[in-house]
Amino acid sequence: MMDAQLLVSGVIFGLSIGSIFFLMTIGLSLCFGLMRIISLDQLLYYSIGAYLTYAVSVAAGSVWLGMLAGVAVAGLASLAVERLVFRRIYERELTFSMITSFGILIGGVGVIKFFCGVVPRPVAIPTLAQVGIAGTDVPVYRLIVIGIAGLVYAGIWLFLNRTIIGKAIRAGIENVEHVEGLGINVSRLFTITFVIAGTLSGLAGGLHAPLIMVEPQMGLEVLAFAFMVVIIGGLGSIKGTLVSAFIVGQVVSLGSLIYAPLAQMAPFAIMLLILLIKPTGLYGSALLKR
């Protein structure tokens, strides 16, 4: 039987990993929902966020400042990619955007290797404080990560439901042609959405950096988990992405406590089971209008 303290630690670990997965994949979900593209380059912005966190924390001695720098640079990088690449291919087939974005990801990995080398880099944890939960000492930093993910979800919900731009994005997710018919600049909506996605991916990388070793392949290493999260939750669903991220996080965490190989195998099994029951994912929609 699993020890109670070990169980609490596993649940908190799963929630923190799920929070990273959510921030990492919300961009994928937003981009598909509005623009009908599969933006695998979001994992490049995740890597950029992690590397800037490392670089600035070493230079300035502040991990938090490094995270802010990573978020800013990831946002600027996503803006450049949207303007130079995606703006030219929005009308192309879905697979074209997937192949193009994967090429950007691979090219970005090569650039990171050229400038930063291939040696993994450690990032200091901003705080080593711990707090007692159910008799178990839990790292405060993991709770901070969970809290930030919750704030981001609340912020996205308020943005999409309480602002004019957000409502336009929501309407565009349902039917872009209707939004264009209202005279709304859809191209600008695309740019705003893409930059928000890239910024959140950079935040995911910055928050994840202290928990892992920063290295060039880190975006490729989480690619399978990113796909699982958006597929389980349902492409284009913000709520589905959050729920799915926490499910995958818990499966990875608790699975590794029960039997280490489960951390890799179990999420795929969960994905297949859910798709058998609901092919569009937990909160996905079959509606796919341009």
Side-chain angles (χ1 to χ4, degrees):
M1 184 177 179
M2 190 180 298
D3 181 81
Q5 292 185 340
L6 191 61
L7 178 61
V8 171
S9 296
V11 169
I12 297 298
F13 179 85
L15 289 173
S16 63
I17 293 300
S19 298
I20 299 295
F21 286 160
F22 168 70
L23 295 171
M24 183 195 308
T25 56
I26 189 65
L28 277 166
S29 189
L30 281 172
C31 288
F32 177 82
L34 178 62
M35 296 171 273
R36 297 296 180 244
I37 61 171
I38 295 181
S39 178
L40 298 181
D41 54 307
Q42 295 299 322
L43 299 176
L44 173 61
Y45 313 135
Y46 159 80
S47 301
I48 290 174
Y51 264 96
L52 262 294
T53 299
Y54 163 75
V56 175
S57 65
V58 170
S62 172
V63 177
W64 298 116
L65 184 60
M67 290 181 189
L68 288 175
V71 167
V73 174
L76 290 174
S78 64
L79 175 61
V81 169
E82 195 275 338
R83 289 287 180 88
L84 297 173
V85 180
F86 280 100
R87 185 162 290 190
R88 305 168 187 272
I89 64 171
Y90 283 135
E91 298 301 323
R92 302 293 291 270
E93 294 182 358
L94 187 65
T95 52
F96 190 88
S97 68
M98 181 173 67
I99 294 170
T100 301
S101 62
F102 186 70
I104 294 171
L105 173 59
I106 295 296
V109 170
V111 172
I112 291 174
K113 287 181 178 179
F114 179 79
F115 285 103
C116 303
V118 296
V119 178
R121 312 285 183 176
V123 177
I125 296 178
T127 174
L128 296 175
Q130 295 190 330
V131 63
I133 298 179
T136 305
D137 289 333
V138 174
V140 169
Y141 180 68
R142 289 195 178 273
L143 298 179
I144 291 174
V145 171
I146 297 168
I148 290 174
L151 289 174
V152 168
Y153 177 77
I156 291 176
W157 188 90
L158 288 173
F159 173 70
L160 293 177
N161 291 275
R162 296 289 186 267
T163 68
I164 294 175
I165 294 176
K167 290 178 180 179
I169 291 174
R170 283 186 62 206
I173 288 175
E174 293 300 322
N175 195 311
V176 171
E177 291 177 355
H178 287 177
V179 174
E180 289 176 332
L182 294 173
I184 295 174
N185 189 332
V186 173
S187 177
R188 184 173 298 174
L189 283 185
F190 283 7
T191 300
I192 292 171
T193 303
F194 200 90
V195 172
I196 290 173
T199 300
L200 292 178
S201 297
L203 176 61
L207 291 172
H208 205 191
L211 301 176
I212 58 173
M213 297 287 280
V214 176
E215 52 95 14
Q217 300 282 120
M218 58 187 298
L220 292 172
E221 289 175 355
V222 296
L223 181 59
F225 287 104
F227 260 122
M228 278 187 283
V229 169
V230 295
I231 290 173
I232 291 173
L235 281 164
S237 170
I238 310 303
K239 180 180 179 181
T241 302
L242 179 69
V243 172
S244 174
F246 282 136
I247 289 174
V248 173
Q250 291 300 332
V251 169
V252 169
S253 177
L254 299 180
S256 64
L257 292 178
I258 297 171
Y259 179 57
L262 283 178
Q264 300 294 327
M265 298 186 302
F268 286 98
I270 295 294
M271 180 183 71
L272 291 174
L273 178 63
I274 290 175
L275 291 181
L276 285 174
I277 299 172
K278 198 168 189 289
T280 58
L282 294 173
Y283 296 92
S285 171
L287 183 63
L288 295 176
K289 295 181 180 178
R290 283 293 307 180

